Amino acid sequence: MSNKGNEIVRAVLYLRLSNEDEGKLTKEEKSESIKNQEMMLKDYAKEQGYEIVGIYNDEDWSGADSTRPEFNKMIKECESGNVDVVIAKTQARFARDMELIERYIHDKFIEWNVQFKTVVDRIDNTKRETKKTSQILGLTDEWYLEDTSYNIRQTFKTKRENGEFTGSFAPYGYAKDPENKNHLVIDPVAAEVIKRIFNDFIGGMGIKTVATALNEDFVLSPLEYKYMNGYNLQVPFINDYMFFESIKKAGMYKVNVNYKNEERKVLHNLISYNILSEDRKTFDNKCKIYLRQFSEDRMKIYYTKEKEIDYNNFKIELWNELKLNEQLPNDTTCIATLTETLDRTHSINYQFEILLEENVNHKEYFFDILHVSNDEKSAIDYNVIIRKKYKWCQQMIKKILTDEVYIGNLVQSKTTSVSYKNKKKIKKDPSDWIRVENTHDAIITEDLWIKAQERLKERSRCDKNGNYNPFLHKLYCKECGRVFTRSGDCEHIYYRCKDLIEKYHTCDNRSSINNNDLHSLVIDGINELLDNFYKDKEINNFKENDIDNDLFKEKLDSLNKELISIDKELQTKKTYFQRLYEDRANGLLDTEEYMMLKTKYKDDSERLEDRAKKIHEEIELYNTKKKVLKGKQNIFNKYKHVEKLDVDIVSDFVDKILIGKLDKVNKTRDIKIVWNFSV
């Protein structure tokens, strides 16, 4: 494989910084290492007279990983005949897997007429004398990876046995302790969602209904929450699953638009037109579009149904304002954004959710922006990102409900990979899991978690509205002792003795009881107990120190911590403004730039002060709610009055209900409620 005559030799450079170096180098050192590799390979290509047609960089990827994104892009270019030479610093940078080395360097590259060369260890796949060297290096590199993998596994095993968290990301509801990445601390925002999930499920909502309610309330799913908080999701297929140039597959998408003023001056009344279409000209109505986020204080968003649009002449009377969370009408022809002011220190963000329910014709929908400005010299930088939105689903809810991490326990090593070369996950036998108790603070109580596990074990299914039967395992026949079973549909539910559905029945309690009548009976009984409890003179004699001081404690702690954080940020901004003033006085800033930065400081400070005011109001609200009495530490303190039954209420009060036979003359029946306590 020699170079012919004076033909241009097309070379690509492959750079890789191994994730085996993780922890050995600082961020700056890793960046410098990549730069040095690139400079070395560029110098080598120049010496050889090659023309560089591509540079591929896989930073923080293992040499044994065949899913490296840049590596695979390079391989496709080689296969397509667009590359003559692949250059790497060493063979180990190209791959540490003997299978990859044999497949490409000594097989496919030869077939595709691609030369492979390394600068340091002088490998050249066109020279027979370097093949054995290449194979020996491949074996030693693979042995090195095997030994490293074993040592890492043993280290992780020891950490897990000591109750240290070893996952890449903290479980939803927690964050990694900044002072110890192997220790979990509660994330106050996500923790409130965890509590809601457990309470809703125990309260009688089905798993599917819990997920639906979270989506309807716009609560971010765990993956969305990670993404919003800037987690670096280095999953090989994440880009294929999350980020798109256009919308093609059915599903829910987020379209984030960000633009900023690159000019020094302030721009006014900026108009931009947004179109979702296949032809990039006409608005397509196959998608449902919802406005989910925008800078309300700086911009307005409008839509129109007009067929002919004069993009150079915005007439507001032809447009309708679009409100937050509002769905765009199906006959919309265009979206317009009007930004009143935009200076160099601010950016504008807005976000749509787009639902494509089906796409049988496999159309490709593009989100385009047309910017119209009277100032042709103004530089507006637009950035549009389309990504998949991941919603709450039943699998997520069930995973949370069964995870012991929320009661302070760590259960790790549930899965393992086949080997360091094959990352396919294999489920381990529960006896091989590593379980350590009380490793971190719990989000929910152990009693609540146990209740959730008991409910999950129940065989009953929720109805079409997602609700579970609160009387499950509670109703019994007073005559024969058998359970009363549920019959009918969601609209007409009734219960009858199970003996009646047998082929040969002997029980004479043959009349069914209506679900609504049974609900009313139990609600009346519970409210009578509550009324008697709160009429007790002992309750009225409680003093101030008997108020439940622990009520809303975690929420109040979270709000107070946020207040402290805001105070610190305000102090930092005051210091910044003082320096800004000094720079202006010393002539380091001109008047125009000083005024823009001053405006930004003022806006940011006002935003923080407004949030602090809202937090104070919220704290006052929770303190007002703390009028609940501790009482005798029984279930009565949880309720004042019951309007509707759910699984949690029935479980708290009722042990069982004995239903007697119907007196057909008086139309009455003897029903006895056996409470969980003596009354």
Side-chain angles (χ1 to χ4, degrees):
M1 189 186 305
S2 60
N3 300 329
K4 297 180 180 180
N6 295 321
E7 291 182 2
I8 295 174
V9 178
R10 301 162 300 175
V12 296
L13 314 182
Y14 182 70
L15 319 173
R16 185 180 66 83
L17 185 64
S18 173
N19 67 352
E20 290 89 31
D21 293 327
E22 188 72 30
K24 297 179 184 178
L25 302 176
T26 64
K27 185 176 181 180
E28 292 75 16
E29 288 172 336
K30 287 194 285 187
S31 177
E32 191 66 27
S33 175
I34 285 291
K35 288 179 183 177
N36 290 338
Q37 276 189 60
E38 185 174 342
M39 289 175 60
M40 175 190 292
L41 300 186
K42 281 182 176 179
D43 289 344
Y44 179 81
K46 185 178 180 180
E47 289 173 5
Q48 301 297 316
Y50 300 153
E51 179 181 341
I52 299 173
V53 295
I55 300 175
Y56 300 90
N57 177 4
D58 280 316
E59 191 171 342
D60 294 333
W61 287 86
S62 171
D65 195 337
S66 61
T67 66
R68 283 171 278 162
E70 291 292 294
F71 177 85
N72 284 304
K73 285 181 185 177
M74 179 185 68
I75 294 297
K76 285 182 180 179
E77 288 298 305
C78 292
E79 185 178 7
S80 300
N82 300 326
V83 178
D84 298 316
V85 182
V86 173
I87 307 173
K89 178 183 176 182
T90 64
Q91 181 177 277
R93 296 301 177 190
F94 178 83
R96 286 185 182 271
D97 184 347
M98 194 63 192
E99 182 183 347
L100 291 176
I101 290 168
E102 286 295 320
R103 183 194 308 166
Y104 292 114
I105 295 177
H106 302 302
D107 185 9
K108 290 298 182 181
F109 281 0
I110 303 294
E111 177 186 331
W112 300 334
N113 201 33
V114 174
Q115 188 176 12
F116 175 78
K117 301 179 75 173
T118 64
V119 177
V120 175
D121 41 27
R122 302 292 179 180
I123 300 299
D124 185 339
N125 67 342
T126 65
K127 295 181 180 179
R128 183 174 177 273
E129 59 268 25
T130 67
K131 183 174 182 180
K132 285 185 172 60
T133 303
S134 170
Q135 291 172 327
I136 291 170
L137 286 173
L139 282 172
T140 56
D141 285 337
E142 188 162 326
W143 292 337
Y144 166 77
L145 278 184
E146 188 175 5
D147 291 342
T148 301
S149 174
Y150 174 78
N151 292 332
I152 290 174
R153 285 179 183 238
Q154 291 303 114
T155 300
F156 277 4
K157 184 174 182 291
T158 301
K159 284 178 173 288
R160 290 162 183 160
E161 289 173 343
N162 291 331
E164 296 182 57
F165 179 74
T166 59
S168 300
F169 302 106
Y172 181 73
Y174 288 96
K176 290 187 177 182
D177 190 334
E179 298 179 0
N180 179 7
K181 66 179 182 180
N182 298 122
H183 179 252
L184 298 177
V185 293
I186 292 176
D187 177 342
V189 176
E192 291 299 316
V193 181
I194 294 296
K195 292 174 185 176
R196 170 180 171 172
I197 289 171
F198 274 88
N199 287 324
D200 286 352
F201 180 68
I202 294 301
M205 291 175 65
I207 291 177
K208 182 179 180 181
T209 311
V210 172
T212 301
L214 291 171
N215 289 324
E216 288 176 349
D217 291 341
F218 312 123
V219 178
L220 295 177
S221 66
L223 184 59
E224 290 287 334
Y225 187 73
K226 284 186 174 72
Y227 183 79
M228 184 194 75
N229 284 283
Y231 282 77
N232 186 17
L233 303 173
Q234 285 194 349
V235 182
F237 50 80
I238 199 73
N239 287 335
D240 295 333
Y241 274 75
M242 285 193 71
F243 299 98
F244 307 90
E245 294 182 359
S246 60
I247 295 173
K248 191 172 182 180
K249 294 182 179 179
M252 179 71 83
Y253 298 83
K254 281 191 173 184
V255 176
N256 293 287
V257 182
N258 174 282
Y259 65 94
K260 58 184 178 180
N261 174 15
E262 297 292 353
E263 301 293 322
R264 292 178 63 85
K265 59 185 177 181
V266 177
L267 303 178
H268 299 282
N269 296 325
L270 301 175
I271 299 290
S272 65
Y273 298 97
N274 300 246
I275 299 174
L276 178 74
S277 68
E278 182 186 12
D279 57 13
R280 298 177 182 264
K281 293 180 181 179
T282 308
F283 206 90
D284 201 299
N285 300 318
K286 294 294 183 183
C287 301
K288 293 182 179 179
I289 305 177
Y290 307 83
L291 178 62
R292 288 295 189 237
Q293 174 186 308
F294 72 107
S295 306
E296 296 180 71
D297 57 331
R298 295 185 177 276
M299 71 186 305
K300 299 290 184 183
I301 297 184
Y302 300 91
Y303 67 91
T304 185
K305 301 178 182 180
E306 297 292 323
K307 301 297 183 183
E308 299 293 332
I309 302 170
D310 183 357
Y311 293 112
N312 293 309
N313 186 16
F314 180 78
K315 295 182 179 180
I316 198 168
E317 62 270 15
L318 300 177
W319 297 78
N320 304 287
E321 187 173 351
L322 186 65
K323 299 296 184 181
L324 189 64
N325 295 324
E326 184 179 351
Q327 180 185 341
L328 210 63
N330 289 335
D331 51 355
T332 297
T333 55
C334 189
I335 303 170
T337 66
L338 171 61
T339 306
E340 295 178 355
T341 60
L342 183 64
D343 61 41
R344 190 164 61 89
T345 61
H346 292 87
S347 63
I348 297 297
N349 300 278
Y350 55 99
Q351 180 187 97
F352 292 101
E353 283 185 6
I354 299 180
L355 175 62
L356 179 60
E357 294 182 324
E358 63 177 23
N359 191 13
V360 293
N361 296 324
H362 305 288
K363 291 184 178 181
E364 198 168 3
Y365 300 97
F366 297 89
F367 194 89
D368 288 332
I369 296 179
L370 171 65
H371 170 62
V372 179
S373 174
N374 295 326
D375 185 356
E376 295 180 357
K377 297 180 180 179
S378 64
I380 307 296
D381 180 26
Y382 282 87
N383 182 26
V384 179
I385 299 176
I386 302 176
R387 69 177 184 86
K388 185 75 173 286
K389 179 187 178 184
Y390 284 87
K391 301 192 293 184
W392 289 94
C393 63
Q394 291 174 262
Q395 291 86 346
M396 290 181 193
I397 302 299
K398 189 170 183 180
K399 183 178 183 298
I400 287 172
L401 290 171
T402 55
D403 199 335
E404 287 189 53
V405 73
Y406 300 114
I407 54 173
N409 302 338
L410 275 181
V411 182
Q412 301 182 96
S413 291
K414 292 183 178 181
T415 62
T416 187
S417 56
V418 176
S419 69
Y420 71 95
K421 294 172 66 174
N422 187 341
K423 301 301 181 183
K424 183 178 179 180
K425 293 295 181 183
I426 301 174
K427 291 183 179 180
K428 298 173 70 173
D429 188 273
S431 61
D432 295 326
W433 294 355
I434 298 177
R435 183 177 183 275
V436 183
E437 296 183 357
N438 302 319
T439 58
H440 53 273
D441 292 336
I443 293 177
I444 61 167
T445 64
E446 190 170 353
D447 288 343
L448 190 62
W449 191 82
I450 291 173
K451 281 185 178 181
Q453 308 320 300
E454 291 174 347
R455 280 216 53 212
L456 287 168
K457 291 177 182 177
E458 294 173 355
R459 295 183 179 180
S460 67
R461 296 180 179 178
C462 57
D463 58 28
K464 68 178 182 181
N465 296 321
N467 298 314
Y468 282 88
N469 176 17
F471 294 128
L472 184 70
H473 305 317
K474 296 291 184 182
L475 304 181
Y476 294 89
C477 178
K478 195 175 181 181
E479 309 303 322
C480 70
R482 302 195 71 176
V483 298
F484 259 53
T485 60
R486 175 171 164 162
S487 301
D489 54 32
C490 293
E491 304 300 328
H492 305 89
I493 301 171
Y494 58 92
Y495 302 89
R496 59 177 179 169
C497 180
K498 189 175 182 178
D499 182 73
L500 299 179
I501 64 176
E502 303 290 347
K503 186 175 181 179
Y504 302 104
H505 53 268
T506 58
C507 182
D508 59 355
N509 190 358
R510 301 186 179 184
S511 298
S512 62
I513 184 170
N514 182 275
N515 179 63
N516 293 333
D517 294 340
L518 191 57
H519 271 252
S520 298
L521 179 73
V522 176
I523 287 173
D524 290 343
I526 292 174
N527 284 328
E528 184 180 354
L529 292 175
L530 290 171
D531 289 343
N532 291 334
F533 176 77
Y534 285 107
K535 286 178 183 177
D536 194 314
K537 292 182 180 180
E538 181 182 352
I539 301 301
N540 297 324
N541 292 330
F542 277 112
K543 298 180 180 179
E544 187 68 25
N545 59 1
D546 289 312
I547 299 298
D548 188 359
N549 293 316
D550 292 330
L551 195 63
F552 311 121
K553 183 177 184 301
E554 292 182 13
K555 181 65 178 178
L556 288 167
D557 287 346
S558 172
L559 291 172
N560 284 316
K561 286 179 182 177
E562 189 177 353
L563 267 183
I564 294 171
S565 175
I566 289 175
D567 288 340
K568 287 181 179 178
E569 193 170 352
L570 284 170
Q571 289 299 323
T572 301
K573 288 191 175 297
K574 286 180 181 178
T575 304
Y576 162 77
F577 180 69
Q578 180 63 33
R579 291 176 182 172
L580 196 67
Y581 180 78
E582 293 171 358
D583 288 347
R584 174 70 186 97
N586 294 329
L588 299 176
L589 288 174
D590 59 35
T591 302
E592 186 179 5
E593 191 165 11
Y594 169 74
M595 291 305 296
M596 285 192 296
L597 295 173
K598 180 181 177 181
T599 301
K600 184 178 187 308
Y601 158 77
K602 184 178 178 181
D603 290 348
D604 289 346
S605 298
E606 288 177 353
R607 174 180 56 79
L608 290 169
E609 288 168 355
D610 287 344
R611 176 56 187 155
K613 182 180 178 181
K614 290 180 181 178
I615 291 174
H616 281 297
E617 292 173 354
E618 200 169 350
I619 289 174
E620 183 63 29
L621 177 63
Y622 278 108
N623 284 329
T624 301
K625 289 181 178 180
K626 291 176 65 174
K627 295 178 181 180
V628 182
L629 302 175
K630 284 187 177 180
K632 299 178 180 179
Q633 295 185 353
N634 57 40
I635 62 170
F636 288 96
N637 292 303
K638 292 172 61 176
Y639 308 97
K640 287 284 188 179
H641 187 81
V642 172
E643 297 289 344
K644 183 180 178 181
L645 293 183
D646 58 34
V647 173
D648 199 23
I649 293 174
V650 174
S651 177
D652 278 343
F653 283 94
V654 179
D655 177 39
K656 56 186 175 182
I657 302 173
L658 305 177
I659 302 174
K661 61 183 179 180
L662 179 68
D663 186 330
K664 294 183 179 181
V665 177
N666 299 322
K667 302 296 181 181
T668 59
R669 68 194 311 163
D670 184 17
I671 301 177
K672 178 177 176 57
I673 302 176
V674 181
W675 306 105
N676 285 329
F677 38 81
S678 58
V679 294

